[in-house]
Amino acid sequence: MRRDFLRTLFSRMLATYLTVTLGLILIVGVTVVALFQGQLRTEMNAQLVRELQQVNEIVSSNAESAGLPGDADSLLGWLARQSGNMIEMYAPDGTRQTYFSESKWGSAAARGLSEETRADCLSKTEPSAVSNLFDGLLDFPTVSLGARMLTADGTEALVFLHRDDSAAKRMADAAWMEVLLVLLIAILFSVIAVYYTTSRMTKPFMEISDIVQRYSKGDFNIRIPISGTDEATQLARSFNNMADQLKDLEATRRSFVANVSHELRSPLTSMRGFLEAMQDGTIGREEYDKYIDIVLSETRRMTSMVNDLLDLARIESGTTAIKLEIFDINELIRRTLITFEARIYDHKMEVEVKFAQEQYYVEADNAQISQVLRNLIDNAIKYSPMNSKLRIATYALRKEVYVSIQDSGQGIPEEDVPHVFDRFYKVEKAHTPTKQSGTGLGLSIVKRIIDQHGQTITLKSVKGKGSNFTFTLKRAPSPNRRQPMQDGGAKYGIQ
Ligand code: ADP
């Protein structure tokens, strides 16, 4: 609990504030009080010296110059009463006289100073005040000043002036109390200021934290309110963007699962229906071939869908990093067309291939571009009637090579054009499978491959007149030119 408290922003800021504020106040306070105490002591000592001078005037019978009337003895008594101090006078023969008015001096007056203390006090060249000569005897602090004086009869006497120092101590204590009070006020203000600041600082973060908790539970509808321009607002904006993206992602995921389930359930249901009907005799043996054909075509469609899904998942997860190489796109088109030869023949299609240049070298992933060509040519054949025309052309503009695949088939309605690259999007909405119906994944695979290459694909289509898919590839310098004839041939070339 205590550890947790120390981890909060409030406690950390409070600790910093207090350290800085209290540290500064202490340094300033100690300096000021020390200066004040020094000043006070200097003044009080000066006062003591003045009083001792008065005593000196009296003792040397020069009372008038001290402005005091009467004989020395009664004058010293009067002086002691006036100041509340104690005056001690030691004659050379050791006899001692004390003058004091307040009973508090009683025990000190009775004992006097030892010879050693007296000698000690007087040994200094400059008379200086000595503290607490009567330690243990008196319950208040004292300051004493001693001096040798010549009496009126010419003998030398030792005179000590003792003053009650409790007033000075009280003043110093009061100064310390002031510092303490300032410290307490500073602590109070620090706590209030830090509490106010941190609660204002942490409030938006707490709000963000609450809302993010709801995101983690799948509720992406709520947004963090944006106000002001501070760091919390920036964070709130980032979280709101993240929520938008997560919401889209979640919607895509849901529709993806729904689509996959639907695409699998329909053929499975129909296959089961046919097989059960065959089993219970509803479908006669003479019709078996027809239904086995249907079941086979459905399983082929499912297999192709699963393969497409796997391709898509691989491309999207980025596990198939594109392997860039330089190859001739015209050659790849020729080879791909050869694989469609039988279907083109069956469809009685007229194929027109137009390359603006004999070879177009591009930098791309050969296998993936081959898949793009296969999907586009497959669609062009699939969605075109018999005896239609397929035109394939390549040409270059600036740094790009354009590959265009045009058919004169059924075309795509205008409203469907923006969606054909979406996953599972099929123009013909009827879900009764026909021989030509696909999975709606082919074009989304094409789009992702072209996107991964940093290139573009465009579609122009007029319903009933045909479609034209054109994609770009990065043009590469001919390897024959880059690597002049070596070892009797080019590294890349048409085989
Ligand atoms: P599918 O496996 O269904 O062919 P695609 O993603 O390749 O999936 O195509 C999506 C939809 O776009 C198809 O269902 C089809 O209706 C339409 N389409 C694609 N290519 C053509 C084309 N060349 N001519 C007409 N329609 C096409």
Side-chain angles (χ1 to χ4, degrees), residues 301 304 308 375-384 405-407 409-413 416 419-428 436-446 459 461 466-469:
R301 216 166 64 83
S304 116
D308 283 352
N375 287 6
L376 293 178
I377 297 173
D378 179 62
N379 279 352
I381 300 172
K382 207 159 55 172
Y383 300 110
S384 297
I405 294 166
Q406 187 173 1
D407 62 62
Q410 64 191 48
I412 299 168
D416 292 306
H419 306 291
V420 288
F421 293 107
D422 295 348
R423 283 186 292 196
F424 294 108
Y425 195 85
K426 285 186 243 172
V427 173
E428 45 312 320
Q436 64 162 211
S437 66
T439 57
L441 290 170
L443 286 182
S444 58
I445 292 175
V446 166
L459 161 64
S461 186
S467 316
N468 181 336
F469 288 87

Side-chain angles (χ1 to χ4, degrees), residues 6 14 19 73 76 85 125 137 150 170 175 191 231 254 288 298 361 403 434:
L6 285 175
L14 188 63
T19 313
D73 206 41
L76 286 175
N85 296 341
T125 43
L137 270 184
L150 266 182
R170 265 201 308 280
V191 173
E231 291 86 343
R254 277 173 207 248
Y288 271 19
E298 283 298 273
Y361 283 95
V403 180
T434 63

Side-chain angles (χ1 to χ4, degrees), residues 106-215:
S107 48
R111 195 195 71 179
L113 295 174
S114 68
E115 221 168 296
E116 196 184 332
T117 316
R118 275 181 276 161
D120 212 32
C121 287
L122 297 169
S123 64
K124 292 164 183 138
T125 43
E126 280 282 303
S128 59
V130 185
S131 300
N132 302 323
L133 282 179
F134 302 104
D135 233 4
L137 270 184
L138 302 172
D139 53 2
F140 53 90
T142 60
V143 174
S144 311
L145 198 62
R148 277 194 187 84
M149 292 178 188
L150 266 182
T151 58
D153 52 16
T155 55
E156 195 185 56
L158 295 181
V159 178
F160 284 90
L161 191 60
H162 306 288
R163 197 193 62 213
D164 174 0
D165 202 34
S166 30
K169 192 170 178 298
R170 265 201 308 280
M171 283 166 96
D173 287 351
W176 277 118
M177 286 306 289
E178 297 271 325
V179 173
L180 203 70
L181 194 71
V182 172
L183 274 180
L184 285 176
I185 292 171
I187 291 176
L188 191 74
F189 274 107
S190 292
V191 173
I192 294 171
V194 170
Y195 180 75
Y196 179 73
T197 326
T198 48
S199 52
R200 275 194 60 142
M201 272 167 69
T202 50
K203 196 169 157 251
F205 291 108
M206 299 308 280
E207 264 176 28
I208 292 174
S209 162
D210 281 351
I211 292 172
V212 171
Q213 294 247 334
R214 292 176 63 172
Y215 291 164

Side-chain angles (χ1 to χ4, degrees), residues 360 393-398 400-404 456 470-473:
Y360 271 125
T394 57
Y395 52 94
L397 275 179
R398 288 182 293 272
E400 267 99 35
V401 172
Y402 287 73
V403 180
S404 137
T456 51
T470 304
F471 64 92
T472 59
L473 288 171

Side-chain angles (χ1 to χ4, degrees), residues 241-415:
N241 285 343
M242 185 194 78
D244 288 343
Q245 284 170 14
L246 284 175
K247 197 175 170 188
D248 288 352
L249 214 68
E250 180 61 12
T252 317
R253 191 187 66 81
R254 277 173 207 248
S255 81
F256 179 78
V257 172
N259 279 325
V260 172
S261 321
H262 179 82
E263 291 294 324
L264 289 176
R265 198 179 48 197
S266 313
L268 281 173
T269 317
S270 75
M271 286 189 316
R272 202 177 106 190
F274 292 142
L275 292 174
E276 278 173 357
M278 284 162 94
Q279 197 181 39
D280 64 18
T282 318
I283 294 175
R285 281 187 181 275
E286 64 286 359
E287 284 185 304
Y288 271 19
D289 281 353
K290 180 182 154 195
Y291 286 101
I292 286 175
D293 232 27
I294 297 175
V295 171
L296 262 178
S297 107
E298 283 298 273
T299 51
R300 268 190 222 111
R301 216 166 64 83
M302 280 165 62
T303 314
S304 116
M305 187 181 87
V306 171
N307 285 338
D308 283 352
L309 277 174
L310 287 174
D311 281 347
L312 202 60
R314 243 183 312 134
I315 294 167
E316 284 187 342
S317 71
T319 45
T320 48
I322 50 173
K323 294 179 206 87
L324 291 180
E325 53 188 307
I326 294 174
F327 60 90
D328 177 14
I329 184 69
N330 293 352
E331 176 61 15
L332 187 66
I333 292 170
R334 273 188 220 110
R335 284 160 172 250
T336 313
L337 269 176
I338 291 169
T339 63
F340 284 96
E341 207 176 333
R343 283 182 61 203
I344 291 173
Y345 181 79
D346 285 350
H347 267 71
K348 299 193 170 54
M349 275 186 116
E350 187 190 325
V351 181
E352 185 188 300
V353 180
K354 233 181 185 170
F355 299 141
Q357 202 174 290
E358 180 54 28
Q359 291 169 328
Y360 271 125
Y361 283 95
V362 292
E363 190 179 21
D365 184 317
N366 190 303
Q368 291 198 1
I369 298 304
S370 162
Q371 183 166 13
V372 168
L373 288 171
R374 268 185 278 120
N375 287 6
L376 293 178
I377 297 173
D378 179 62
N379 279 352
I381 300 172
K382 207 159 55 172
Y383 300 110
S384 297
M386 303 280 277
N387 300 311
S388 57
K389 211 166 179 182
L390 170 65
R391 284 197 190 90
I392 300 181
T394 57
Y395 52 94
L397 275 179
R398 288 182 293 272
K399 288 175 181 167
E400 267 99 35
V401 172
Y402 287 73
V403 180
S404 137
I405 294 166
Q406 187 173 1
D407 62 62
S408 56
Q410 64 191 48
I412 299 168
E414 209 182 320
E415 66 272 19

